[in-house]
Structure formats: structure tokens, C-alpha cells
Amino acid sequence: MATLYSTTCRSISYSLTPSSSSLSINGQNHQRLNFSSCIAKRVLPAKVSFHSRRNFHLNVVLMQDGAVATPVTPVENETPFKKLKDGLLSSVPSTKEIKEAATFDVNKDESTVSITVVGASGDLAKKKIFPALFALYYEGCLPEHFTIFGYARSKMTDAELRNMVSKTLTCRIDKRENCDEKMDQFLKRCFYHSGQYGSQQNFAELDKKLKEHEGARVSNRLFYLSIPPNIFIDAVKCASSSASSGIGWTRVIVEKPFGRDSDSSAALTKALKQYLDEDQIFRIDHYLGKELVENLSVLRFSNLIFEPLWSRQYIRNVQLIFSEDFGTEGRGGYFDNYGIIRDIMQNHLLQILALFAMETPVSLDAEDIRNEKVKVLRSMRPLQLDDVVVGQYKSHTKGGVTYPAYTDDNTVPKGSLTPTFAAAALFIDNARWDGVPFLMKAGKALHNKSAEIRVQFRHVPGNLYNRNFGTDLDRATNELVIRVQPDEAIYLKINNKVPGLGMRLDRSNLHLHYAARYSKEIPDAYERLLLDAIEGERRLFIRSDELDAAWALFTPVLKELEEKKIIPEYYPYGSRGPVGAHYLAARYKVRWGDLGIEQ
């Protein structure tokens, strides 16, 4: 169903099908509408079969003034046209019908979006989901008619929900006009319904409330499952059978973890598909919504200088680094069941790796991009235990402050061997990346908080200035750094001459610092992903075969770690991690880029 979005948020998008595109005519941007099954009932003649409706597409240009420009057709008295009109083209809607359909679909009074946050009383909902929805509303990105419902087991009134949500809402730093007024307007759209996650009756009651707010409009419904994975299926079953939309679309956002291994992930996917189609399931990985991860493909595919270098001929290694400067802090009960490999490496870092290493997709369509990511994952060698280092942080006293060990967390079982740090070397066995080590490192309670991609290029063959660098050729290595968080930036390390009469070389950065270059505040990842889910854009969500391929890489080594009860290497809280990570990198003649004097 088409929805009109403000130009302050994105280009006007009419999502009549999962994809839409724009084109330029005489220097002006116009939207291309893809008429498909979603309007078949309104514009196609009754005699067209269901199969025909599903596969029927007609491109129409919607001009800025609202006029519809249809393809030029031959005059009716031409013989070929008459033959076609009586045959194949008998089911094509007329220009009048197309205009009526377009008017209907972009009419703000005809449709509404109902967003239900399942697990509304949890930390994720309070800290991320509701603030992201408010930010979208503040930017004018949500449809004219929308309603937000919180659903959880906790007993709460609408007023209590609004009070809880209001404590986490903030306005853009660069836009504070009418902030309080906007908050009040947003909170008036927020309601609450208490119920059990496995109760069809409670979801039927929710459905009744949703219908009261939707009125006679076409209802589109989005469910965000901010709940533990063990109750995903119960909630999906009840939402699907008792609270799904009867006319518009119904979509479900599922939070990680998507299982613990290949078998549990496949079982979860199979169970979800009993109640939902694949295109209704939006598996969210919030790292894919990060601004710098979004910029990764732009950097590569729209800059001529990078694409020719993006291969084994010029790149020596790629490093994907994630570090947090705090421990589990009371979340150990959840974390201990998964560990750092499942929590960070198998999803966040592996997804970034796939985006980084994929071939040029046919288009920016979601399926084309996800197809290329799957090819990368299927080309990777299964991870071996010899290529993995695991660690766990221990107690450490620094500056008179004692920091606890992982097992000091009351929610963590005593004697737990769950790793809070892991480093791994992965390889992609294809023509572009054969032999290039992709090094991953992720850990908690380290010396800093950061997430970055480091691309170290090969040494210059026969470098005339080697003597100026001495034996440490790594100091002369060009390196591209994409800092995902915090303080987003992209910089390229190059060698240059220091001004003066002598020949002294220096290493400098060509630097794009986002905060200095752009005054606009960078949107939170959840804002982008929620907006994509509302618009039906699946590019940044994980497809089931992607998930299968990702688990196939990590499941064998995870089972081996647990079956052999591998003892992690202990490292002090606030340190740079286990020494074993350096030996792993050295085996492949790599030095971690984040540990040098010049980071």
C-alpha cells in the first residue's frame, strides 16, 4: 500500500510493491510506481486470474504535480493494437483506472500503519525502539495515520506507558523546534495492552483495539518482537492468527539471536514459516543500519579509485574489530547462554564482512544485494579451532578501582567457560579474495569502545623509500579505516615527505570526519531499520538462506569449543585482550591495526 513520506526524511516513496525507483526528467525527480498485485483488486478487470495479477507490472511516472504519465500507446485503429487489445492487453487497466488507483494509494486518508512493540516494558523497547519511532515522527518520516501499541505481560495503563516512554525521548541536536509539542503529539499516538505472549484471546483483544484506531482505513500492521527467543513462536502464532491485517500487509521484525547453531536456527525458521511468509519476516541486525556500514557499498561502488583495488592483488588483509569497555554488567545470565561469538561475530561482524567482500550486485534491489552476500558466505571456509582464540576477562585493579571478573557477575554460573573475547581468521575461497585473511576480533571489558573495519594494503613492490622506513615495512603500509562507532569517520593512511631540505617521510591521514563535515546528527540504526520495515525495504534485513550459510561457518567450531571445554585465556578487565590474539594475527603476518602507536 502506498504511503506518502515527507521529503525531509527520504525521497517521496510510494511502496506499491516491495521496490520502487525514481527517475529524472528534465532535471526533475519523479517517482516510478510499480503497479502489481497490491492494486490488482482495484484496477484489474475481474476476469484476470490470480496468477496473472501476481505477475502483472506496469510502470507509471507520477509527476510532481500529481499527474500520471502513462506510456504512449498506438492509435486504436491500428490493426496490431486491435488484435492485442482483444487478446493479451484486455487485462491492462486504462489510463483513467491507473489515475484512480494512484490517487487512492497516495491518499493519506485511505491507509494507516499500526506498530505493535511486543515486549514494550523491556530495556530494548524503552532505550531504542520507542526513541527511534519518535525520531521518525519528529523528522516527518511516519505516515499521516499511524498508531503505536505497547504489548507486554506487565500491567500498565496508557498513561503509564506514555510516562515511561517520555523519559527516553530526545529531539535532534540540530532540530529542536517545537520539541515538547512534537513529544505530546507522539505520545497521544501511543497506547498499551497487557497480555500473555502465547494467548490468542489477548491478541484478539489487541486486534479489537487496533481496529478501533484504524477505523475504515486500509490497515497495515508491523509487529516488533522485543522478547526472548524462546517465546518468538508463541507470539508469532497468536499475532498471525488473531491480530494480523485483513486487508493490508502484516510484517514481523525478529530480534537476534536467531538460534544458537545451525539446527536451532533452522528449527526457528521452520516454525516462523508455519505462520508467516519469508517476505513478512524481517530479521533485524541493527549493525546493518549503522551509517558507516550503509556507506560501505557507496564508498566502494561509486568511487573509481577503490573498486580496482578491492581484491587479493592489492589488499593484504581485512580486519573487523569490535570492542566494548564494559563487561556484562548484570546481563551475564543472557550472555552466558550465547557468548561473544554468537552475540557479535556470527551476526554483526559476519554481515559486515559479506557486504565488504561481495561482488557488484545487479542493482540496489534487496534481493540482488542479498544474493551477492549469500555467495560470499557460501564461498567461505568453515572456521577451524586452530584459527580461533577465546578469552574471558578477569578482575583487575586500576587507579584504586577494582573491576569485577566475568564470573563475579551474580547472574553468571560459577566456573563458566563462556568466552567474552574471541579472535578468528576467516578465508573466502573465490577468485577475488583467495588467500586474503579476514581477521575478526570482538570482546568485552577491553581498553576502549569501538567498531571499525581496517583494510591493510600490500607493501609497494621495490619501494624506493624502504630505507627510510627501516625493517618495519608495516609502517609504510597504506591502510583504509572505516570507523563505524563512535565518532564516525573514514580515513586513508598515506606516506608523504615532511617539509624540509632532508628526505624524511611521515605517515598522514586523508580524513573524512563525519561530525566535522556534516552538521546533521547521524540517525540511530534502529530509525533506519524501522523505516525500512514500514516501507517494505528488505535490503538491510537477513534472509533465511543468509542465516543458514552464516551458521554453517560457525556451528562446527562452537560445538568443538563446548564439547572439548576449551578454557579461555584470561585477560585483565580494561586491557587490550588476550596475548593469543597477537599470535593468531602473526601467524598470517598481520599486525592488529588498532593496537599501533598510530591508530
Side-chain angles (χ1 to χ4, degrees), residues 328 330-338 406 409-413:
T328 53
R331 290 183 64 250
Y334 162 80
F335 183 85
D336 197 73
N337 193 40
Y338 293 95
Y406 172 68
D409 189 326
N410 293 329
T411 61
V412 174

Side-chain angles (χ1 to χ4, degrees), residues 104-398:
F104 169 79
D105 284 321
V106 299
N107 189 332
K108 294 181 293 187
D109 295 329
E110 292 291 350
S111 65
T112 182
V113 174
S114 298
I115 304 165
T116 302
V117 182
V118 182
S121 58
D123 281 348
L124 179 63
K126 288 186 284 190
K127 295 178 180 178
K128 291 293 184 181
I129 302 173
F130 284 113
L133 288 170
F134 171 66
L136 292 175
Y137 174 72
Y138 188 72
E139 292 284 345
C141 298
L142 293 181
E144 176 72 17
H145 299 287
F146 74 92
T147 305
I148 297 173
F149 259 86
Y151 184 96
R153 291 175 294 201
S154 306
K155 298 295 182 182
M156 199 184 309
T157 63
D158 292 344
E160 289 171 333
L161 173 77
R162 291 165 184 166
N163 182 57
M164 178 191 78
V165 170
S166 66
K167 296 175 181 177
T168 63
L169 302 185
T170 58
C171 291
R172 295 282 191 216
I173 293 174
D174 56 335
K175 288 185 178 181
R176 291 192 179 275
E177 302 88 354
N178 304 320
C179 184
D180 292 337
E181 181 184 345
K182 285 282 189 179
M183 282 189 184
D184 291 340
Q185 293 171 358
F186 174 78
L187 291 171
K188 288 177 182 178
R189 306 282 194 103
C190 297
F191 304 90
Y192 185 79
H193 183 72
S194 176
Q196 298 297 314
Y197 299 125
S199 170
Q200 295 204 14
Q201 179 182 345
N202 292 155
F203 272 90
E205 294 166 355
L206 171 67
D207 177 65
K208 184 178 179 181
K209 287 186 177 180
L210 292 174
K211 286 178 178 176
E212 290 175 0
H213 291 277
E214 292 163 349
R217 301 183 184 94
V218 173
S219 63
N220 299 309
R221 295 183 180 179
L222 176 67
F223 292 86
Y224 195 122
L225 300 189
S226 178
I227 53 178
N230 61 311
I231 50 179
F232 278 171
I233 304 305
D234 290 340
V236 167
K237 177 181 178 181
C238 295
S240 176
S241 61
S242 303
S244 62
S245 173
I247 304 176
W249 50 255
T250 299
R251 296 168 185 154
V252 178
I253 298 178
V254 182
E255 270 280 352
K256 74 175 184 71
F258 312 115
R260 296 187 77 256
D261 52 28
S262 291
D263 292 341
S264 59
S265 175
L268 177 61
T269 297
K270 182 179 179 181
L272 287 173
K273 288 186 177 181
Q274 289 180 352
Y275 309 105
L276 300 170
D277 295 330
E278 174 65 27
D279 62 2
Q280 292 181 282
I281 304 170
F282 287 69
R283 300 174 188 84
I284 190 171
D285 183 336
H286 74 273
Y287 254 71
L288 293 181
K290 297 281 187 183
E291 185 68 37
L292 269 292
V293 177
E294 269 273 80
N295 197 29
L296 186 58
S297 58
V298 177
L299 182 73
R300 176 181 169 188
F301 296 124
S302 69
N303 292 287
L304 183 62
I305 61 172
F306 288 121
E307 178 57 21
L309 306 180
W310 223 260
S311 71
R312 60 188 295 273
Q313 280 77 24
Y314 297 99
I315 292 178
R316 187 160 57 107
N317 68 82
V318 180
Q319 301 175 21
L320 300 111
I321 301 170
F322 174 95
S323 64
E324 291 180 335
D325 56 1
F326 54 88
T328 53
E329 316 295 349
R331 290 183 64 250
Y334 162 80
F335 183 85
D336 197 73
N337 193 40
Y338 293 95
I340 197 72
I341 296 177
R342 292 183 177 94
D343 194 40
I344 302 297
M345 297 178 82
Q346 183 272 337
N347 42 69
H348 298 336
L349 297 187
L350 190 61
Q351 284 291 319
I352 294 175
L353 185 155
L355 279 173
F356 177 94
M358 70 181 184
E359 296 297 320
T360 307
V362 174
S363 74
L364 291 177
D365 181 77
E367 297 311 307
D368 290 333
I369 292 175
R370 296 196 291 188
N371 287 343
E372 296 304 328
K373 287 168 62 183
V374 170
K375 289 178 186 177
V376 171
L377 297 176
R378 288 178 175 170
S379 299
M380 295 179 71
R381 298 179 204 167
L383 193 56
Q384 303 297 316
L385 187 59
D386 288 344
D387 285 327
V388 177
V389 172
V390 293
Q392 187 185 101
Y393 65 87
K394 63 182 180 180
S395 180
H396 179 60
T397 301
K398 184 178 180 181

Side-chain angles (χ1 to χ4, degrees), residues 336 340 388-394 406-407 415-422 561 564-571 578-580:
D336 197 73
I340 197 72
V388 177
V389 172
V390 293
Q392 187 185 101
Y393 65 87
K394 63 182 180 180
Y406 172 68
T407 51
S416 171
L417 299 179
T418 299
T420 60
F421 175 98
L561 283 168
K564 293 183 177 180
K565 298 187 184 302
I566 302 295
I567 298 175
E569 180 183 343
Y570 296 99
Y571 61 96
V579 175

